[in-house]
Amino acid sequence: MVSYKRLSPEDVQFTNTSASEESPAQVEVKDPEESERLLLQRRPHCSATTAIITLGFLLLVASGFWLLGTIFWLHGPSPSASNGAPQPRPPPGLGKVDGHRGSLSEPQACAGVPEAWRFDCYPERGVVVTRELCEARNCCFIPASSSSSPPSSGRNGVPWCFYSPTFPSYSLVSLNQTEQGIVGSLVRTVKTYYPKDVLTLRLDVLYETDHRLRVRITDPSAARFEVPITVPSATVKASSPAYTVELTNQPYGLVVKRTSTGAVLVNTSVSPLFYCDQFLQMSSSLASQYVYGLGEHRSTFLHDIHWNTLTMWARDAAPVELTNLYGAHPFYLSMEEGGGGTAHGFFLLNSNAMDVVLQPGPAITWRTIGGILDFYVFLGPEPASVIGQYLEVVGYPSMPISWALGYHLCRWGYRSSNATWDVVRNMRNYGIPQDVQWNDIDYMDHSLDFTFDPVNFATLSDMDPGISSVQPKEQYWPYDEGLKRGVFINQSDGETLIGKVWPGLTAFPDFSNPVTHEWWYENLQRFHDKVPFDGLWIDMNEPSNFLDGSTVGCPDNELENPPYTPGILGGLLRAKTACASALQKTSSHYNMHSLYGLLEAEASSSALRRILRKRPFIISRSTFPSQGRYSGHWLGDNRSHWKDMYTSIAGMLTFNLLGIPLVGADICGFSEKTDEELCVRWTQLGIFYPFSRNHNSLDQPAQDPAAFSPLARSAMKEALLLRSSLFPLLYTLFHRAHTHGHTVARPLLFEFPADVRTYGIDRQFLWGRSLLVTPVLDPGVDYVSGYFPRGLWYDYYTGDSVRSKGEDLRLDAPLDKFNLHLREGAIIPKQRPNTTLWVSVRQPLQLISCLSDDGSATGELFWDDGESLDTFETDEYAHIVFNVAKNTMTSEVLHNHLEAFNIIVETAIFYGVKFEPSRVTVNSQDAGYVYRSNQVLQVLGLELKLSQNFTISWM
């Protein structure tokens, strides 16, 4: 068998031109023996003497290298990590592995594997890996020269125990064309060191679209769990795919390349494939070090690929680094090296507990403990196109109800309705904008869902999934009725699983059961009849449990104690959640756990659509791919620290990549005491969270804007008025997210993919393509530095311009100032702000045009009633586009609606008008204007109807 390696472009052979023309989706299968035969046939003739001399010389050189390599291996560490891929080695003899024949690890082969390309053969945590343990798995054992860590598995660093280049894997033994692509059979003849190997696998390579490839590796003899979300199903092979697929047969390997550049996007030949009942592992090279996504974890936006393990298993845990958090999103976006800004994406459709290991090869390992290997490759080529293609699979995000985009206030600890309303009154008295008021769990009666404290509270709602199981019989309808209908998760023996959450002993609804969805709707309807709430906050839905498993523990079986447990917080699958062996309608909790938040959000969204007949507003803590179709997300129980404010930007940008654009962090921090400076700066940042909410914890000082000094109140008020004024832009961006899969809060690299300087930026971001946000993220400063990509930028407030070559600029930033800049070529709509969006959205519009050097700019506005269901799908909306060219702005109504008739445009502002006009006309009539020395032209006093085309010209 041949070696595992990262193939260079020279190693990968494409189908020939004529074959490509006949079948663009044809796959090349490389046979090493055939390659050797072809090479032998091409060897030139030589004399016997020359051959003997040459052979002798080669033997002498080989012996020398063998001797030096053996001495080096016996007496020293391995070579330093290198970005070069491991080179092929000849197949060694066979030895014994778990009673079966397997390859022995030769010293020369092991020493030849660069550190950066060593794939961990002993990933179990808490084990001090010795040479004996490692070689029992028939793997290489070499202490890494650049690692100071002991050989303890589970610690980040170069693995000391790693696969030899000839470790046994699957072979591709058959291959056939299908209408969608190809189907093959993979066979393993040597068992692994994990139990229950699946020795024969089915490989399906599906050319679904020109920019989307799907690969499925399944067990043809037994059904295995598959994630129950709806994905598109292609029926014909893509006609002109942007990718080329190559398969090697012994060992099996799959390589996906971008046809236009030759970039290798996926190469599974670098390490052996594992497919056991409870251990599936696949590694691949990466196209570059630039990897994003892979939520939910607290980290920088650009992931560190230096031996970084990201574990996925939904968990109730305050955000800290190197910990599995509330959601699981096995999707990454990667910028390609030397590709001129091209990008691709990879999505593993698997909900089981998993580790995703990034290493500096660069390479990635997917290690999951159930389900199947079902993955997609998205070819972009632009980063934004990658996200759109991903969302074509998992679903575009829903369009939010308009008030959801306002400013929200909440805390745990208001303690009464009166105290809650005092906060609202104070905000109104100071003229500080606020759209939504929340309460946390203290509004409930003894923390019971679907109840409220009849003495201290009468309104507002906070939902978590736990249903109390200890109330007097026939006195708590949700539990009594749930038992009758069988809606709760059961233990493996069939009895209702009882855990513990805020109300005490608790049962957990099984949202994989359609019966539960109807029961959930009826509970919400009954509660809405008492307290007419407008939205739902779904907390603790990992699901969280104050116990490990249940009140009676969990059985000792293979689901609770799999042969490999990923690096989850607590070390056990049942840590602070339900038993893995618990029974749900669709499958065991072992398979369904990370889907819990998604399925509850789906049930909640359906219920609210029926109850309110409006767009549902739901914020969920736990998430999974396709969550954006049903809910938004907040980034969990952060702290009142400057670092938490900074990391919230990466979290916000990551969730926009993951198709959940309605996202934000608790402004000013949830736990611990904030301070005035931090809260002001965080509010200035938080107005640019797509979901903007200030929320803090029990027994902490109040941190709503009205609670601070006049200077702080004024700064926060100005920030919140700014958000209110930008609602038309934000609403239009959400429309684009809903209809085209665009991001709302956007990393700079999306708009400047050819500028490598933008790849690691997560202290700045954009709204859409044009509004650059540069927040202050450090204490005690009155300036901020920001990177401005090449081009012309305008100060949002003044229109002053700066031409950047792609450089860092220092910006003044006193406490009452926030730095915003507009990109050349953009037209953004804004409105006269007010204290609520309900008032603001009825105010006149202003249009700001940011002219490029050639005097051009474009923009758009989406408008509807802000709350009705499916307005775009039912044509109940207005869509207007704006253009500036040759000193003329035009407004074109592409789609009209009654809502647009009530809105007027009162001001048009043009940044970058190079010469003072002598005349300005509006619809061919003279109009008043103001021209300033910084090349800003203002046309004031307009009464232009948004619903009618208009022109504004100057000369």
Side-chain angles (χ1 to χ4, degrees), residues 457 506 887:
F457 287 91
T506 303
N887 298 345

Side-chain angles (χ1 to χ4, degrees), residues 703-933:
Q703 62 184 37
D704 57 272
F708 292 99
S709 71
L711 177 62
R713 281 200 308 268
S714 176
M716 292 190 218
K717 176 181 176 178
E718 290 305 311
L720 294 170
L721 286 170
L722 174 61
R723 180 182 176 90
S724 181
S725 71
L726 289 169
F727 171 79
L729 171 62
L730 182 60
Y731 198 64
T732 301
L733 292 175
F734 267 101
H735 164 68
R736 282 293 172 185
H738 172 59
T739 57
H740 293 81
H742 291 181
T743 51
V744 174
R746 187 170 301 173
L748 271 69
L749 72 90
F750 269 47
E751 292 299 320
F752 304 93
D755 183 352
V756 179
R757 284 284 308 274
T758 66
Y759 287 12
I761 291 177
D762 56 10
R763 297 177 69 90
Q764 293 172 279
F765 57 94
L766 295 160
W767 263 15
R769 62 176 299 271
S770 57
L771 186 62
L772 177 62
V773 180
T774 307
V776 174
L777 301 171
D778 300 297
V781 300
D782 59 3
Y783 71 92
V784 63
S785 295
Y787 179 71
F788 284 71
R790 177 180 294 274
L792 189 60
W793 296 88
Y794 295 94
D795 183 283
Y796 171 85
Y797 307 97
T798 67
D800 292 343
S801 63
V802 58
R803 188 177 302 278
S804 174
K805 300 176 182 178
E807 54 198 312
D808 293 302
L809 300 178
R810 175 171 165 152
L811 310 169
D812 290 335
L815 190 64
D816 60 351
K817 180 179 179 181
F818 189 79
N819 281 282
L820 284 181
H821 291 82
L822 289 167
R823 182 182 177 188
E824 63 175 310
I827 300 176
I828 70 162
K830 55 179 290 190
Q831 275 182 312
R832 189 187 302 164
N834 209 289
T835 54
T836 67
L837 287 179
W838 189 85
V839 176
S840 296
V841 296
R842 292 160 174 80
Q843 299 303 304
L845 285 173
Q846 297 177 344
L847 300 175
I848 301 179
S849 301
C850 306
L851 305 186
S852 298
D853 283 332
D854 63 1
S856 65
T858 61
E860 64 174 338
L861 175 66
F862 175 85
W863 208 251
D864 60 14
D865 67 7
E867 63 180 21
S868 295
L869 296 167
D870 306 320
T871 57
F872 177 74
E873 291 76 8
T874 57
D875 288 335
E876 297 293 324
Y877 68 94
H879 185 204
I880 300 95
V881 295
F882 308 102
N883 284 282
V884 177
K886 298 180 179 179
N887 298 345
T888 298
M889 165 180 266
T890 60
S891 166
E892 182 180 2
V893 180
L894 297 184
H895 197 283
N896 218 336
H897 187 260
L898 178 64
E899 290 294 327
F901 283 83
N902 300 320
I903 305 298
I904 65 168
V905 176
E906 68 171 0
T907 306
I909 304 174
F910 302 89
Y911 293 165
V913 177
K914 297 178 181 178
F915 303 100
E916 181 174 359
S918 59
R919 183 186 181 197
V920 174
T921 62
V922 177
N923 293 332
S924 301
Q925 301 295 315
D926 286 341
Y929 66 92
V930 175
Y931 182 80
R932 298 202 300 267
S933 59

Side-chain angles (χ1 to χ4, degrees), residues 38-59:
L38 291 172
L39 288 172
L40 286 171
Q41 292 169 7
R42 295 170 184 163
R43 288 176 181 169
H45 294 289
C46 60
S47 69
T49 302
T50 303
I52 292 171
I53 293 172
T54 302
L55 180 60
F57 175 76
L58 290 175
L59 287 173

Side-chain angles (χ1 to χ4, degrees), residues 39 43 115 134 218 426 472 564 578 585 668 703 744 922:
L39 288 172
R43 288 176 181 169
E115 289 184 354
C134 180
T218 56
N426 288 337
Y564 175 80
K585 177 72 173 180
C668 302
Q703 62 184 37
V744 174
V922 177

Side-chain angles (χ1 to χ4, degrees), residues 20-80:
S20 297
E21 291 171 354
E22 281 185 25
S23 177
Q26 187 173 351
V27 175
E28 176 89 8
V29 180
K30 292 179 70 178
D31 184 336
E33 294 181 1
E34 177 64 20
S35 299
E36 288 185 14
R37 286 195 295 271
L38 291 172
L39 288 172
L40 286 171
Q41 292 169 7
R42 295 170 184 163
R43 288 176 181 169
H45 294 289
C46 60
S47 69
T49 302
T50 303
I52 292 171
I53 293 172
T54 302
L55 180 60
F57 175 76
L58 290 175
L59 287 173
L60 181 62
V61 171
S63 299
F65 274 112
W66 177 85
L67 180 60
L68 287 173
T70 302
I71 294 171
F72 183 79
W73 180 77
L74 288 173
H75 293 92
S78 67
S80 299

